[in-house]
Amino acid sequence: MVGSTKISAGLKAAMVLAMCLGAGSAMADFQTLNGSVLYREKIALPPEAFVEVTLEDVSKMDVKSTVLASQTLKPSGQVPVAYQLTYDDEMVDARGRYSVRAVIRVGDDVMWRSTQSFAALTGDAPETVDVVVEQMVQRTENALSGSDWVVVQMNGNTVQEARVPALKFDRDGRVSGTSGCNRFTGTYTEKGGFLEFGPLATTRMACPGALGEQEVAFFQALTKVTGFGMRDGHKVLLDASGAVVMQLLAE
């Protein structure tokens, strides 16, 4: 009888667990988003390339996006490369903004990446999201170094001040320049189209009026930079979503 009681208790525990798992499955409403990744250049996709696709919540400004789903693909042919992202519909707010981002890598190097937002899920977003990726500047000794760069556009706006921000990237990982008012120096790391600034030290000269506003915008923009590339023939610094933070012009 004692053995029978133990079996009965075990069965009850198993039934409770099954009911809990069933309830969890019922609450999760998984959906799929389909699309493709492609580029316009007439270049063969290297056989060792991997395609990474992510679905992200980009609803909040100045906050790192939340990844809802991701997929890494080993293409068997050329572009377009089809993808399918599975996400939990409970994580989607009809009032939110969502986008698909894609990167094509060969080893640690980013060969292509999306440099604009491709809307998904809400609003007027298409049911099938095709992501066009842009070819990145390949890592070379003078990808950024070797030139003095002036900032001609920042956050989509043309720099109006006569004293424009400028940057200089040294080959030893040092960066220096000016906000148009104060000078700064610091470090940077660059690899395969990705770019990150280290701590920056600045002078402390007072910057009145519009020049001061430009300085604040400049240093805030630098904190958003995660990569660089070319857009319409211009060298640009990009944020994590691929949006242009700054457009540069070589002096």
Side-chain angles (χ1 to χ4, degrees):
M1 292 297 290
V2 174
S4 175
T5 302
K6 288 184 177 179
I7 293 173
S8 176
L11 286 174
K12 288 181 179 180
M15 291 175 64
V16 171
L17 177 61
M19 291 174 64
C20 291
L21 291 174
S25 299
M27 288 191 298
D29 184 11
F30 290 103
Q31 304 290 337
T32 57
L33 176 68
N34 298 299
S36 65
V37 178
L38 66 152
Y39 52 77
R40 297 189 177 93
E41 292 84 9
K42 295 181 179 179
I43 302 173
L45 187 65
E48 64 273 25
F50 282 88
V51 179
E52 301 173 3
V53 190
T54 56
L55 172 62
E56 301 177 355
D57 183 344
V58 293
S59 303
K60 298 180 180 179
M61 298 292 290
D62 299 325
V63 175
K64 187 176 181 180
S65 58
T66 302
V67 176
L68 274 64
S70 63
Q71 183 179 31
T72 300
L73 302 162
K74 183 68 173 70
S76 58
Q78 297 298 313
V79 296
V81 177
Y83 70 82
Q84 185 176 78
L85 296 171
T86 301
Y87 63 94
D88 185 353
D89 198 42
E90 291 292 324
M91 299 178 67
V92 178
D93 187 331
R95 299 166 297 178
R97 294 188 301 110
Y98 305 87
S99 69
V100 180
R101 185 166 60 90
V103 170
I104 300 178
R105 298 180 186 271
V106 174
D108 292 331
D109 293 327
V110 175
M111 307 297 289
W112 287 269
R113 69 181 294 187
S114 51
T115 58
Q116 66 185 83
S117 178
F118 291 88
L121 304 183
T122 56
D124 296 326
E127 292 186 5
T128 300
V129 181
D130 297 320
V131 180
V132 180
V133 291
E134 303 287 340
Q135 189 175 25
M136 292 291 98
V137 176
Q138 296 308 300
R139 189 181 183 186
T140 61
E141 285 300 314
N142 62 354
L144 286 171
S145 60
S147 297
D148 292 340
W149 304 94
V150 295
V151 180
V152 294
Q153 284 190 0
M154 192 161 51
N155 298 320
N157 300 313
T158 301
V159 176
Q160 300 291 341
E161 291 298 306
R163 295 160 61 182
V164 300
L167 305 98
K168 182 178 182 179
F169 298 88
D170 293 332
R171 289 181 173 85
D172 62 358
R174 302 291 301 177
V175 62
S176 59
T178 175
S179 67
C181 179
N182 280 290
R183 299 199 61 80
F184 68 91
T185 185
T187 61
Y188 75 97
T189 54
E190 173 265 309
K191 185 175 183 180
F194 284 98
L195 176 67
E196 183 178 12
F197 291 96
L200 301 177
T202 71
T203 56
R204 298 294 183 179
M205 185 170 63
C207 307
L211 200 60
E213 294 175 4
Q214 174 181 277
E215 176 170 272
V216 171
F218 173 73
F219 286 119
Q220 285 181 343
L222 286 184
T223 65
K224 300 177 183 179
V225 173
T226 61
F228 68 97
M230 299 293 292
R231 179 73 63 82
D232 299 326
H234 300 287
K235 187 70 64 67
V236 293
L237 304 184
L238 307 167
D239 66 13
S241 69
V244 174
V245 177
M246 296 182 188
Q247 180 179 310
L248 308 178
L249 180 65
E251 285 190 310

